[in-house]
Amino acid sequence: MQAAEGGGVVRERGVAVADPLLDARDLVKHYGGVEALRGASFTAYAGEVVSLIGDNGAGKSTLVKCLSGVERPDSGTVAFDGRPVELDSPVAARALGIETVFQDLAVAPDLDPAANLFLGRELRKPGVLGWLGVLDKKEMRRRAIGSFDDLGVTLQSIDVPIGSLSGGQRQSVAVARSVVWASKLVFMDEPTAALGVVQRERVLDVIRRVRDQGMAVVLISHNMPEVLAVSDRVEVLRLGKRVARFRAADTTVEELVGAMTGALSQEDAG
Amino acid sequence: MTPQRKSLAKRLVGTNTLWIALVLLLLIAVFGALRPDAVLTVFTLQTTLVETSVLLVLAVGMTFVIITSGIDLSVGSVLVFSGVTSAMTMNSLNGGDATNAGWGVVVVGLLVALASGAAWGLLNGLLIAKAKIPPLIVTLGSFGAALGAGQLISNGSNVSGVPNVLSNNLGTGTTFGVPNLVILAAVVTALGALLLGTTRFGRHTYAIGSNEEAARRVGIGVTRHLMAVYLLAGVLAGLAGFMAMAYFRVASVTGHDTDNLNAIAGVVLGGTSLFGGAGSIVGTIFGVFIPAVLRKGFVIVGVNVYWQPIAVAIVLVAAVWFDQSRRKARDRS
Ligand SMILES: Nc1ncnc2c1ncn2[C@@H]1O[C@H](COP(=O)(O)OP(=O)(O)OP(=O)(O)O)[C@@H](O)[C@H]1O
Ligand SMILES: [Mg+2]
């Protein structure tokens, strides 16, 4: 078994000689009696795609929520760019350059794609009108069309509520929103789940492009061939704990599945 | 493929607002055809407008609240409370009877009315946004409490002594033939429409009603925003209380039990969704006038006015059903 011990292999490969961009340690999160995270650790380096995999209910989405400021872990530490950080709100995560595609997308179905792209970051008109809070809808629409074009999001119309789009289109808009605003790290919680073959390839292309710009991309997916195709590294979560880490180039689907189900366990992975 | 904008015509047809406007025009046309002499006179138009002004101001605040997928049952009671506190303050400032008081006293009265509305709005907002109690329950509570408080303060009777300068100017005065009350309501409505339709505040109002959790995750201050929306509804109810007092020359403690339902009906008739996330002030204007036109129309053509609430109910249920089935068709997953 050729697992990456600690992160040594990564360093050896030379893609991320520096310290981790994101280093979460021993996160614990309870929901009432349910222990969703039981001391989970997670690491991401700048300029890499790292997949976070695990069975249903392993705690992947919970981990992502904790690391994007939506949920607060009961205990554990998070370091970002080498400094300890307190991700106590979505705003705090955004300020660090972290963006997220949530599994449930977190879009406003009644608003159009441009409004969703700029949600919480609306552009205002210059001058007094802007000071009064008046939106620059035209400019937002123009930029949104540009971004969607750029990212290969196909929409027939720019002013329909996003709830009337297909599931895949909605997912594409959520992906676009995350990569447009991210500057350091993007979490994508099953961003390709509802996508057709063509759109899936587009999202994977976008993920590679974002990585090539030097950002870290964290991909959550249940599709193992996809994981192996796009990732540099893979971290495996089982029952709320990290149980294994792999270099994508050195592993196989069997090995990943083994780690997810517990048939195979790696020491020194936590 | 670059996404296109739909043509303006197509965008309009897609909105409930257009349809509700057509219904209103149709009603006016039908009543007009039946009694052309009575319906289309300036007087009929004017009285309808005046009688609807106060309701419209309530409905503007209600539109914001309903778009956040909330509800405010307290507006009519807050209107009463604000009128009572305002009138009693003015009276006490003027030795017990403000009938001949000057503008200074009137301005203080206005501020007291607005502050009274703001206080109830803030209380609603705190309980709904901070304590997370459902708006229906909170405002059902303040519906009772605000009316009770108003009646306690006034000993259960109407408060007279409303300054003549107030009643003669705001209450029944006109500017270029347009009642001042109508002008005030129009200004409030226009400002509300601009706030909702063109500003970030408005955009966030829609976002919260459409998906509160999504709004929170993109960093919108949901708690603060909801408090601001209920505060706005409260302030407008306070203003409506001041307007009603100016018009009727008395701060009445009765006759406002169904203001809340009338405002909600107007908002919903105007195409604002009870599920939140969609709606407009322009729609609310049409929606508020439909019951008013029906009532006037029935009187003029000699139909028993008791048919009016029944007719409104039918249109209302149809509007909600229409909205619901549109949503079902739209939100495919
Ligand atoms: N809001 C919540 N309230 C209660 N329990 C929760 C909540 N969110 C998650 N859980 C529980 O925490 C555990 C981990 O859930 P999580 O959504 O993180 O899993 P996941 O790995 O993302 O699964 P999937 O692959 O199905 O998306 C599950 O047992 C789930 O039931
Ligand atoms: Mg999940």
Side-chain angles (χ1 to χ4, degrees):
Chain A
M1 196 175 76
Q2 304 156 323
E5 299 292 323
V9 178
V10 172
R11 240 169 251 141
E12 190 179 291
R13 234 178 108 207
V15 282
V17 180
D19 293 325
L21 174 67
L22 175 74
D23 193 9
R25 281 180 197 267
D26 306 322
L27 299 185
V28 175
K29 176 75 191 172
H30 293 263
Y31 288 110
V34 183
E35 205 172 12
L37 297 179
R38 316 176 182 206
S41 296
F42 180 75
T43 317
Y45 293 86
E48 72 163 0
V49 177
V50 51
S51 284
L52 176 61
I53 63 170
D55 220 345
N56 292 122
K60 305 180 296 295
S61 298
T62 307
L63 182 61
V64 165
K65 284 181 191 161
C66 287
L67 295 176
S68 43
V70 169
E71 299 275 8
R72 303 198 63 175
D74 303 325
S75 67
T77 59
V78 182
F80 194 79
D81 250 347
R83 277 190 304 273
V85 289
E86 197 71 43
L87 294 168
D88 51 2
S89 73
V91 180
R94 284 181 137 195
L96 292 171
I98 300 173
E99 289 293 320
T100 308
V101 181
F102 293 98
Q103 190 166 11
D104 62 9
L105 300 186
V107 291
D110 299 280
L111 299 184
D112 64 35
N116 270 290
L117 191 72
F118 282 92
L119 204 57
R121 294 179 155 121
E122 291 81 5
L123 299 180
R124 281 180 279 173
K125 291 216 157 122
V128 181
L129 285 179
W131 184 79
L132 288 170
V134 176
L135 299 173
D136 195 341
K137 293 187 186 173
K138 216 167 151 189
E139 177 64 12
M140 286 195 275
R141 200 177 300 123
R142 196 184 67 75
R143 289 201 203 173
I145 289 175
S147 300
F148 292 145
D149 246 2
D150 192 34
L151 297 169
V153 181
T154 43
L155 305 169
Q156 286 79 27
S157 166
I158 191 72
D159 44 27
V160 292
I162 198 174
S164 69
L165 300 178
S166 78
Q169 287 175 317
R170 232 174 301 159
Q171 212 159 22
S172 302
V173 171
V175 168
R177 177 171 73 184
S178 71
V179 303
V180 162
W181 298 110
S183 60
K184 294 270 183 164
L185 190 150
V186 186
F187 287 108
M188 296 197 188
D189 197 346
E190 307 198 19
T192 57
L195 299 186
V197 183
V198 176
Q199 286 297 337
R200 175 187 297 263
E201 275 313 313
R202 287 216 179 116
V203 168
L204 296 184
D205 277 343
V206 167
I207 289 176
R208 292 190 188 98
R209 268 169 60 186
V210 172
R211 185 246 336 254
D212 293 343
Q213 289 165 16
M215 284 188 249
V217 182
V218 180
L219 172 69
I220 295 178
S221 172
H222 287 290
N223 182 330
M224 290 306 126
E226 173 182 296
V227 164
L228 288 179
V230 77
S231 322
D232 299 299
R233 285 193 316 115
V234 181
E235 301 207 350
V236 185
L237 210 58
R238 199 165 77 81
L239 301 175
K241 231 174 137 43
R242 178 166 69 189
V243 292
R245 309 205 257 177
F246 300 101
R247 250 182 70 179
D250 304 336
T251 189
T252 60
V253 171
E254 289 70 37
E255 209 170 28
L256 295 179
V257 172
M260 283 196 289
T261 55
L264 171 93
S265 81
Q266 218 177 51
E267 317 223 8
D268 194 28
Chain B
M1 180 179 69
T2 304
Q4 303 293 314
R5 289 218 79 185
K6 289 186 186 175
S7 67
L8 182 66
K10 264 206 182 138
R11 270 181 279 148
L12 269 178
V13 172
T15 62
N16 298 354
T17 312
L18 181 76
W19 297 111
I20 213 72
L22 288 179
V23 169
L24 183 62
L25 283 178
L26 190 75
L27 284 178
I28 295 174
V30 168
F31 288 129
L34 289 172
R35 286 288 307 276
D37 48 322
V39 172
L40 300 174
T41 64
V42 173
F43 179 73
T44 307
L45 190 69
Q46 224 179 48
T47 50
T48 309
L49 281 173
V50 168
E51 284 163 14
T52 314
S53 291
V54 174
L55 184 59
L56 185 57
V57 170
L58 292 179
V60 167
M62 189 69 80
T63 307
F64 281 85
V65 169
I66 292 183
I67 288 177
T68 67
S69 79
I71 199 85
D72 189 349
L73 297 176
S74 73
V75 288
S77 300
V78 173
L79 179 156
V80 167
F81 179 87
S82 306
V84 166
T85 53
S86 173
M88 292 188 63
T89 308
M90 291 193 290
N91 281 343
S92 70
L93 281 177
N94 217 49
D97 184 355
T99 313
N100 296 312
W103 281 110
V105 170
V106 170
V107 168
V108 173
L110 172 64
L111 293 178
V112 168
L114 296 179
S116 303
W120 284 104
L122 206 58
L123 182 65
N124 285 337
L126 275 171
L127 292 172
I128 290 162
K130 278 235 203 288
K132 311 241 182 295
I133 306 170
L136 189 75
I137 302 303
V138 169
T139 60
L140 187 61
S142 46
F143 166 69
L147 186 62
Q151 288 172 330
L152 271 178
I153 300 174
S154 72
N155 265 326
S157 53
N158 295 345
V159 183
S160 52
V162 174
N164 280 329
V165 284
L166 174 61
S167 297
N168 295 342
N169 286 287
L170 179 63
T172 49
T174 61
T175 304
F176 301 119
V178 184
N180 291 336
L181 213 56
V182 173
I183 295 176
L184 180 58
V187 169
V188 168
T189 307
L191 288 177
L194 287 174
L195 183 64
L196 183 62
T198 69
T199 70
R200 196 165 65 151
F201 185 88
R203 175 63 60 81
H204 290 180
T205 305
Y206 286 106
I208 290 170
S210 188
N211 185 346
E212 192 173 321
E213 183 56 27
R216 197 168 281 122
R217 288 192 197 167
V218 296
I220 294 172
V222 174
T223 306
R224 250 190 68 185
H225 194 93
L226 282 177
M227 293 205 358
V229 165
Y230 283 94
L231 177 66
L232 177 69
V235 169
L236 289 179
L239 179 65
F242 191 74
M243 290 167 71
M245 173 178 69
Y247 182 63
F248 293 111
R249 292 176 182 265
V250 62
S252 170
V253 293
T254 55
H256 293 282
D257 325 335
T258 58
D259 281 7
N260 52 5
L261 299 183
N262 292 335
I264 293 167
V267 170
V268 173
L269 280 176
T272 294
S273 171
L274 276 174
F275 304 99
S280 71
I281 299 284
V282 177
T284 294
I285 302 172
F286 296 127
V288 162
F289 275 101
I290 284 180
V293 167
L294 272 175
R295 187 182 305 111
K296 263 272 152 8
F298 283 174
V299 171
I300 290 169
V301 302
V303 175
N304 190 330
V305 280
Y306 292 126
W307 280 107
Q308 188 260 6
I310 298 175
V312 171
I314 292 170
V315 185
L316 187 63
V317 171
V320 173
W321 177 75
F322 184 66
D323 176 44
Q324 203 168 322
S325 34
R326 257 178 35 133
R327 260 174 193 256
K328 269 205 199 109
R330 191 199 73 188
D331 294 341
R332 295 182 274 183
S333 53

